Tab-separated table of all heavy atoms in Angstrom:
chain	number	residue	atom	x	y	z
A	1	MET	N	117.389	114.893	84.259
A	1	MET	CA	117.815	113.537	84.597
A	1	MET	C	118.855	113.046	83.593
A	1	MET	O	118.677	113.190	82.380
A	1	MET	CB	116.607	112.587	84.616
A	1	MET	CG	116.973	111.139	84.917
A	1	MET	SD	115.566	110.007	84.887
A	1	MET	CE	114.799	110.344	86.462
A	5	GLN	N	121.297	108.395	86.049
A	5	GLN	CA	120.234	108.515	87.048
A	5	GLN	C	119.006	107.712	86.638
A	5	GLN	O	118.338	107.103	87.480
A	5	GLN	CB	119.853	109.995	87.229
A	5	GLN	CG	120.912	110.829	87.932
A	5	GLN	CD	120.568	112.305	87.942
A	5	GLN	OE1	120.029	112.844	86.971
A	5	GLN	NE2	120.898	112.990	89.035
A	6	ALA	N	118.711	107.689	85.331
A	6	ALA	CA	117.578	106.906	84.844
A	6	ALA	C	117.810	105.420	85.083
A	6	ALA	O	116.879	104.681	85.452
A	6	ALA	CB	117.357	107.174	83.351
A	7	ALA	N	119.043	104.960	84.881
A	7	ALA	CA	119.359	103.545	85.123
A	7	ALA	C	119.208	103.202	86.604
A	7	ALA	O	118.676	102.140	86.958
A	7	ALA	CB	120.786	103.248	84.649
A	8	TRP	N	119.664	104.105	87.490
A	8	TRP	CA	119.506	103.889	88.938
A	8	TRP	C	118.027	103.857	89.315
A	8	TRP	O	117.587	102.998	90.082
A	8	TRP	CB	120.220	105.009	89.697
A	8	TRP	CG	119.952	104.989	91.179
A	8	TRP	CD1	120.564	104.217	92.119
A	8	TRP	CD2	118.990	105.795	91.889
A	8	TRP	NE1	120.046	104.477	93.371
A	8	TRP	CE2	119.080	105.441	93.260
A	8	TRP	CE3	118.080	106.769	91.500
A	8	TRP	CZ2	118.280	106.022	94.227
A	8	TRP	CZ3	117.278	107.354	92.461
A	8	TRP	CH2	117.389	106.992	93.814
A	9	PHE	N	117.245	104.789	88.784
A	9	PHE	CA	115.815	104.854	89.058
A	9	PHE	C	115.138	103.548	88.639
A	9	PHE	O	114.340	102.973	89.397
A	9	PHE	CB	115.206	106.033	88.287
A	9	PHE	CG	113.768	106.343	88.641
A	9	PHE	CD1	113.463	107.437	89.430
A	9	PHE	CD2	112.729	105.562	88.160
A	9	PHE	CE1	112.150	107.744	89.748
A	9	PHE	CE2	111.412	105.857	88.471
A	9	PHE	CZ	111.119	106.952	89.273
A	10	SER	N	115.459	103.079	87.433
A	10	SER	CA	114.855	101.852	86.918
A	10	SER	C	115.209	100.640	87.777
A	10	SER	O	114.369	99.762	88.017
A	10	SER	CB	115.315	101.622	85.471
A	10	SER	OG	114.809	100.409	84.960
A	11	GLU	N	116.450	100.605	88.257
A	11	GLU	CA	116.895	99.462	89.074
A	11	GLU	C	116.141	99.422	90.408
A	11	GLU	O	115.662	98.361	90.828
A	11	GLU	CB	118.398	99.593	89.312
A	11	GLU	CG	119.045	98.340	89.893
A	11	GLU	CD	119.215	98.428	91.401
A	11	GLU	OE1	119.281	99.565	91.909
A	11	GLU	OE2	119.263	97.374	92.067
A	13	PHE	N	113.216	100.867	91.050
A	13	PHE	CA	111.808	100.637	90.716
A	13	PHE	C	111.548	99.145	90.516
A	13	PHE	O	110.555	98.598	91.024
A	13	PHE	CB	111.442	101.418	89.445
A	13	PHE	CG	109.965	101.467	89.139
A	13	PHE	CD1	109.225	102.588	89.460
A	13	PHE	CD2	109.326	100.408	88.511
A	13	PHE	CE1	107.864	102.649	89.172
A	13	PHE	CE2	107.974	100.459	88.226
A	13	PHE	CZ	107.241	101.587	88.558
A	216	LEU	N	113.336	113.399	91.369
A	216	LEU	CA	114.165	113.105	90.205
A	216	LEU	C	113.307	112.852	88.964
A	216	LEU	O	113.666	113.278	87.854
A	216	LEU	CB	115.041	111.889	90.497
A	216	LEU	CG	116.091	111.513	89.441
A	216	LEU	CD1	117.080	112.665	89.251
A	216	LEU	CD2	116.822	110.242	89.855
A	217	SER	N	112.178	112.177	89.137
A	217	SER	CA	111.335	111.863	87.981
A	217	SER	C	110.767	113.126	87.337
A	217	SER	O	110.428	113.122	86.154
A	217	SER	CB	110.187	110.933	88.396
A	217	SER	OG	109.301	111.577	89.280
A	220	VAL	N	112.729	114.416	84.144
A	220	VAL	CA	112.761	113.667	82.884
A	220	VAL	C	112.420	114.610	81.728
A	220	VAL	O	111.481	115.414	81.821
A	220	VAL	CB	111.775	112.485	82.927
A	220	VAL	CG1	111.654	111.822	81.558
A	220	VAL	CG2	112.223	111.466	83.962
A	259	ALA	N	103.785	109.960	82.880
A	259	ALA	CA	104.591	109.526	81.732
A	259	ALA	C	106.077	109.704	82.026
A	259	ALA	O	106.910	108.877	81.626
A	259	ALA	CB	104.189	110.309	80.484
A	260	LYS	N	106.430	110.764	82.731
A	260	LYS	CA	107.823	110.970	83.131
A	260	LYS	C	108.292	109.835	84.046
A	260	LYS	O	109.398	109.291	83.873
A	260	LYS	CB	107.975	112.311	83.859
A	260	LYS	CG	107.848	113.547	82.981
A	260	LYS	CD	108.070	114.803	83.817
A	260	LYS	CE	108.036	116.058	82.997
A	260	LYS	NZ	108.317	117.271	83.807
A	261	THR	N	107.450	109.483	85.022
A	261	THR	CA	107.818	108.409	85.945
A	261	THR	C	107.933	107.083	85.217
A	261	THR	O	108.851	106.293	85.486
A	261	THR	CB	106.771	108.302	87.070
A	261	THR	OG1	106.663	109.567	87.729
A	261	THR	CG2	107.167	107.249	88.083
A	262	LEU	N	107.012	106.814	84.296
A	262	LEU	CA	107.061	105.566	83.535
A	262	LEU	C	108.328	105.490	82.691
A	262	LEU	O	108.969	104.432	82.615
A	262	LEU	CB	105.826	105.443	82.637
A	262	LEU	CG	105.722	104.165	81.799
A	262	LEU	CD1	105.667	102.931	82.692
A	262	LEU	CD2	104.509	104.213	80.876
A	263	ALA	N	108.707	106.610	82.081
A	263	ALA	CA	109.933	106.630	81.279
A	263	ALA	C	111.143	106.312	82.150
A	263	ALA	O	111.995	105.484	81.788
A	263	ALA	CB	110.099	107.997	80.617
A	264	ALA	N	111.222	106.939	83.322
A	264	ALA	CA	112.349	106.687	84.227
A	264	ALA	C	112.353	105.242	84.714
A	264	ALA	O	113.420	104.636	84.868
A	264	ALA	CB	112.281	107.648	85.413
A	265	SER	N	111.174	104.665	84.957
A	265	SER	CA	111.104	103.277	85.425
A	265	SER	C	111.596	102.301	84.366
A	265	SER	O	112.011	101.182	84.690
A	265	SER	CB	109.668	102.925	85.821
A	265	SER	OG	108.840	102.787	84.685
A	266	ASN	N	111.559	102.730	83.118
A	266	ASN	CA	112.065	101.908	82.021
A	266	ASN	C	113.504	102.270	81.640
A	266	ASN	O	114.000	101.840	80.589
A	266	ASN	CB	111.156	102.038	80.793
A	266	ASN	CG	109.815	101.368	81.003
A	266	ASN	OD1	109.728	100.297	81.595
A	266	ASN	ND2	108.741	101.992	80.527
A	267	GLY	N	114.147	103.075	82.488
A	267	GLY	CA	115.562	103.392	82.276
A	267	GLY	C	115.824	104.473	81.256
A	267	GLY	O	116.946	104.602	80.757
A	268	ARG	N	114.803	105.289	80.937
A	268	ARG	CA	114.990	106.372	79.976
A	268	ARG	C	114.909	107.723	80.672
A	268	ARG	O	114.126	107.894	81.597
A	268	ARG	CB	113.921	106.311	78.880
A	268	ARG	CG	114.210	105.266	77.806
A	268	ARG	CD	113.169	105.284	76.690
A	268	ARG	NE	111.968	104.538	77.088
A	268	ARG	CZ	110.850	105.071	77.508
A	268	ARG	NH1	110.745	106.396	77.595
A	268	ARG	NH2	109.817	104.333	77.854
A	269	HIS	N	115.713	108.673	80.194
A	269	HIS	CA	115.690	110.020	80.754
A	269	HIS	C	114.842	110.954	79.898
A	269	HIS	O	114.915	112.173	80.032
A	269	HIS	CB	117.111	110.585	80.894
A	269	HIS	CG	117.834	110.735	79.590
A	269	HIS	ND1	118.334	109.665	78.879
A	269	HIS	CD2	118.137	111.845	78.868
A	269	HIS	CE1	118.917	110.098	77.777
A	269	HIS	NE2	118.810	111.421	77.748
A	270	TYR	N	114.038	110.392	79.018
A	270	TYR	CA	113.157	111.170	78.154
A	270	TYR	C	111.861	110.386	77.936
A	270	TYR	O	111.832	109.156	78.030
A	270	TYR	CB	113.830	111.462	76.801
A	270	TYR	CG	114.305	110.216	76.085
A	270	TYR	CD1	113.458	109.499	75.230
A	270	TYR	CD2	115.593	109.735	76.283
A	270	TYR	CE1	113.900	108.349	74.593
A	270	TYR	CE2	116.039	108.594	75.659
A	270	TYR	CZ	115.187	107.901	74.809
A	270	TYR	OH	115.613	106.747	74.190
A	271	VAL	N	110.789	111.111	77.661
A	271	VAL	CA	109.472	110.507	77.443
A	271	VAL	C	109.264	110.265	75.959
A	271	VAL	O	109.617	111.104	75.123
A	271	VAL	CB	108.363	111.435	77.991
A	271	VAL	CG1	106.974	110.861	77.688
A	271	VAL	CG2	108.530	111.641	79.483
A	275	ASP	N	104.851	106.039	76.151
A	275	ASP	CA	104.620	106.249	77.590
A	275	ASP	C	103.260	106.895	77.811
A	275	ASP	O	102.510	106.517	78.712
A	275	ASP	CB	105.721	107.132	78.188
A	275	ASP	CG	107.093	106.493	78.131
A	275	ASP	OD1	107.170	105.263	78.261
A	275	ASP	OD2	108.086	107.230	77.953
Side-chain angles (χ1 to χ4, degrees):
M1 178 182 282
Q5 289 173 322
W8 172 82
F9 189 105
S10 177
E11 192 262 335
F13 191 100
L216 186 61
S217 66
V220 172
K260 289 182 177 183
T261 303
L262 181 61
S265 73
N266 290 321
R268 281 183 279 101
H269 62 287
Y270 55 88
V271 176
D275 296 326

